[in-house]
Amino acid sequence: MAKPVVPCVDDEALILDSLKIQIKKELGALCMVETAESANEALEIVAELYQEGVEVVMVLCDWLMPGMKGDEFFVELHQSHPHIIKIMLSGQADHAAIARAQDEANLHGFMHKPWDQTELITLLKSKLDVL
């Protein structure tokens, strides 16, 4: 059986590369990592993974991205996959967007960029251990 997947969504490739390296290094035994440079691409990835029978357990997403912002993405994702753990990473999210994601998409966590690697891994591991 395939390991569960954690998609990371950000419009900056450098951020995605950093997240992928950090998560694979620390949590590679527990999950795989996919990356998407937009919310729409992430929705497609999640749909494809579910069609293939691969579980998506958690999604990390930036807030400020072209097209669909992170809170909008989480609300849409939550409508079809309410069980997925949602964590927002952003240096620019406003309080209203965070509150919306909490109220309408059951946001599980928020971290400011630049994030502390130990803090991020601890948060992700605590959510993965619950599963």
Side-chain angles (χ1 to χ4, degrees):
M1 181 169 199
K3 287 188 240 180
V5 174
V6 175
C8 298
V9 189
D10 199 297
D11 60 320
E12 295 183 46
L14 184 61
I15 297 289
L16 291 175
D17 290 344
S18 295
L19 285 169
K20 190 169 189 172
I21 290 166
Q22 291 173 13
I23 295 169
K24 284 177 75 171
K25 179 182 174 196
E26 299 292 333
L27 303 173
L30 298 174
C31 64
M32 297 186 311
V33 179
E34 289 283 339
T35 59
E37 291 186 11
S38 72
N40 286 328
E41 181 183 0
L43 290 170
E44 289 174 17
I45 288 171
V46 170
E48 288 172 12
L49 289 168
Y50 272 97
Q51 284 180 337
E52 295 169 7
V54 178
E55 183 181 17
V56 176
V57 294
M58 179 183 319
V59 175
L60 280 74
C61 184
D62 185 20
W63 173 69
L64 186 58
M65 297 183 294
M68 189 184 305
K69 290 192 172 47
D71 59 322
E72 297 164 340
F73 164 69
F74 280 146
V75 169
E76 187 167 330
L77 179 68
H78 188 71
Q79 291 172 354
S80 56
H81 303 286
H83 63 283
I84 292 177
I85 295 167
K86 298 157 210 67
I87 298 174
M88 189 180 294
L89 290 171
S90 184
Q92 301 176 22
D94 64 12
H95 295 293
I98 296 167
R100 178 178 185 226
Q102 289 170 329
D103 293 344
E104 297 179 36
N106 195 23
L107 183 69
H108 291 81
F110 176 85
M111 294 191 73
H112 288 281
K113 287 181 186 177
W115 63 89
D116 176 272
Q117 180 178 340
T118 303
E119 217 176 292
L120 176 66
I121 297 302
T122 300
L123 175 63
L124 298 181
K125 189 170 185 331
S126 73
K127 299 300 182 186
L128 287 169
D129 284 346
V130 169
L131 304 174

